Amino acid sequence: MTDFHAELTDRLIRYAAIDSQSDEDAPAQPSTAIQLDILRLLERELTEIGAQDVQLTDYGVVLATIPATAAGPTIGLLAHVDTAPQFNATSVKPRLIKGYNGGDISFPDNPNLTLSPADFPYLAEKQGHDLITASGLTLLGADDKAGVAIIMTAARHLLENPQIPHPALRIAFTPDEEIGRGVDARLPKDLKADFAYTFDGGALGEIEYESFSADGANVKITGVSIHPGQAKGKLVNALHLAAKIINTLPANQTPENTEDRQGFIHLTDMNGSAAECALRFILRDFERDGLAAKGALLRQTCEAIAATEPTARIEVTIKPQYRNMRYWLENDMTPVELARDAARSLGIEPVSVPIRGGTDGSRLTEMGIPTPNLFTGMQNIHGPLEWVSVQDMGQATQLALTLAQKAVTP
Ligand SMILES: [Zn+2]
């Protein structure tokens, strides 16, 4: 069995060095023009390896087909090219550590930083592996360039070996996943897949089909603005009302006080003045009822505070963001079972834990293309201690190849 390690190493190091950070505050699509650098490179590389229908859409997604060599459902393979806005992602210097010795890892550009197996038990399991990290000043961007490298490697292998039976595969490299804008309304139709997988998961064996259900809430508070010298009995300070709302919401339903299957109400932004103030919240829960209850609680809280100051106004707007993909996948577990079957045949024990977040697959699933999430090996994402094992990426590549073959109609 080919292990693909050299190719995966080369691809990840090349892709990670290209700055492609997304930006939540930029209205453009893709949010940052630099994402087009890697998107155009991938478009070129897909053409070079002989993929068909290679296209960079005007909404910033690279699409391509690996033509079928046998009958079966069309399977989409997705990864996102953007890196997280939460940490410096400019001038990433990826570094290969060959045959990891199991000890502490130091960083050439940041002597204060140590990646230790004592802090990260998964790292301790990877002794002898080839690891890739950044240099200490940036994130690595294995999230999700490991996914990109895995899909590109699997695609190259299948195109070079047309004797391997597999149905048609559709590749999609998306921008702006990290800011929740990776799935354009046109993508499901353009992807033309019966089901799909994102390669955007962590530890070896992860096959995820549950994500949060998510709403966003805006609270707009309009106070009563009067010169403070003549304010007695008239002024209503919007900032004071905001503080009351925040203090009335239950402290045990914040992200810092919840875990596992618990949802939360998270205040992400607060802006304004005594006259007018806006609060932004994200609401998360694995269940519809739980999510609706969180929205209702926020509304009730705002109404109760508003009732104490009849001359002020508090408006609450709640908008759906994405839904738990389990709602669709539990009706037809074929994509999940196919991935589990492929993993087991490689000697990998499948693990399914609910994702405390969303993926491009959450949106795609809701839009009609069931899309579970598969492991890539990436660890400690969105920060300077991010790392990935090349061997884990190799296993993910084998998983892609194996599930493509197992999807062939008997
Ligand atoms: Zn990701």
Side-chain angles (χ1 to χ4, degrees):
M1 196 151 57
T2 336
D3 67 16
F4 304 119
H5 290 179
E7 180 172 355
L8 288 164
T9 303
D10 168 73
R11 286 192 189 278
L12 179 57
I13 286 177
R14 280 193 302 114
Y15 301 153
I18 303 167
D19 185 2
S20 58
Q21 194 172 39
S22 50
D23 177 1
E24 190 161 22
D25 297 322
Q29 189 183 31
S31 64
T32 53
I34 49 172
Q35 291 181 76
L36 290 168
D37 296 344
I38 186 166
L39 288 165
R40 291 201 182 102
L41 174 76
L42 293 169
E43 182 188 21
R44 209 159 55 234
E45 291 190 354
L46 281 162
T47 306
E48 280 163 11
I49 63 174
Q52 305 291 300
D53 316 321
V54 181
Q55 179 196 6
L56 173 56
T57 68
D58 54 12
Y59 50 93
V61 174
V62 171
L63 294 169
T65 304
I66 313 297
T69 56
T74 299
I75 302 174
L77 304 175
L78 288 91
H80 64 89
V81 302
D82 64 315
T83 51
Q86 288 88 346
F87 198 78
N88 180 22
T90 305
S91 304
V92 176
K93 289 194 275 173
R95 173 181 57 146
L96 175 67
I97 297 165
K98 284 200 131 188
Y100 169 54
N101 65 11
D104 285 359
I105 296 172
S106 56
F107 290 81
D109 293 341
N110 187 349
N112 299 320
L113 203 64
T114 306
L115 175 58
S116 171
D119 301 326
F120 303 103
Y122 189 72
L123 180 61
E125 296 172 27
K126 303 299 165 183
Q127 195 168 348
H129 285 211
D130 295 343
L131 308 184
I132 299 174
T133 73
S135 64
L137 299 177
T138 66
L139 50 70
L140 171 62
D143 178 11
D144 186 25
K145 286 160 181 172
V148 175
I150 288 159
I151 293 171
M152 285 298 294
T153 302
R156 198 271 313 143
H157 183 73
L158 291 176
L159 288 162
E160 258 175 33
N161 295 278
Q163 77 283 1
I164 300 173
H166 63 83
L169 303 176
R170 287 284 286 160
I171 292 173
F173 295 128
T174 56
D176 292 333
E177 190 273 349
E178 297 287 1
I179 57 170
R181 289 166 20 198
V183 179
D184 186 274
R186 290 163 279 187
L187 181 59
K189 195 165 150 278
D190 292 346
L191 186 61
K192 294 186 196 83
D194 293 300
F195 54 87
Y197 299 96
T198 49
F199 280 84
D200 197 14
L204 180 77
E206 280 183 8
I207 296 170
E208 298 158 329
Y209 64 98
E210 270 214 77
S211 61
F212 267 147
S213 284
D215 285 350
N218 288 319
V219 176
K220 193 181 159 205
I221 307 168
T222 312
V224 178
S225 188
I226 309 271
H227 186 286
Q230 285 88 47
K232 184 155 187 197
K234 300 190 193 88
L235 183 140
V236 182
N237 190 327
L239 296 170
H240 289 188
L241 295 181
K244 283 187 195 165
I245 293 170
I246 295 163
N247 285 326
T248 308
L249 288 169
N252 64 356
Q253 289 194 33
T254 58
E256 59 271 42
N257 288 309
T258 49
E259 60 184 348
D260 301 329
R261 300 194 70 91
Q262 298 168 322
F264 56 71
I265 301 173
H266 180 37
L267 175 66
T268 59
D269 269 281
M270 185 165 157
N271 254 299
S273 63
E276 207 174 82
C277 175
L279 310 180
R280 273 201 287 187
F281 293 87
I282 60 171
L283 314 179
R284 300 290 186 263
D285 204 282
F286 285 101
E287 304 305 332
R288 285 192 182 97
D289 294 356
L291 187 65
K294 289 181 173 59
L297 179 62
L298 181 63
R299 283 187 196 284
Q300 283 157 15
T301 304
C302 290
E303 278 163 23
I305 304 296
T308 65
E309 292 289 357
T311 54
R313 214 168 58 238
I314 303 180
E315 294 157 274
V316 182
T317 321
I318 298 178
K319 285 204 177 113
Q321 292 177 324
Y322 56 83
R323 290 295 175 260
N324 188 342
M325 53 179 142
R326 191 198 77 218
Y327 290 139
W328 292 267
L329 280 157
E330 67 190 355
N331 295 325
D332 181 1
M333 288 286 276
T334 307
V336 176
E337 291 307 337
L338 180 64
R340 285 176 171 164
D341 181 32
R344 287 197 188 97
S345 76
L346 293 165
I348 300 166
E349 192 46 47
V351 188
S352 298
V353 282
I355 312 169
R356 289 180 65 79
T359 65
D360 278 348
S362 311
R363 289 286 294 133
L364 266 179
T365 301
E366 190 180 355
M367 291 159 94
I369 303 180
T371 307
N373 187 37
L374 306 178
F375 71 87
T376 63
M378 63 168 96
Q379 294 292 307
N380 302 348
I381 57 172
H382 301 189
L385 295 177
E386 188 179 6
W387 63 279
V388 66
S389 146
V390 177
Q391 277 78 355
D392 281 2
M393 289 171 63
Q395 295 275 55
T397 308
Q398 299 292 356
L399 181 68
L401 296 171
T402 307
L403 69 83
Q405 290 170 72
K406 283 183 178 284
V408 170
T409 310

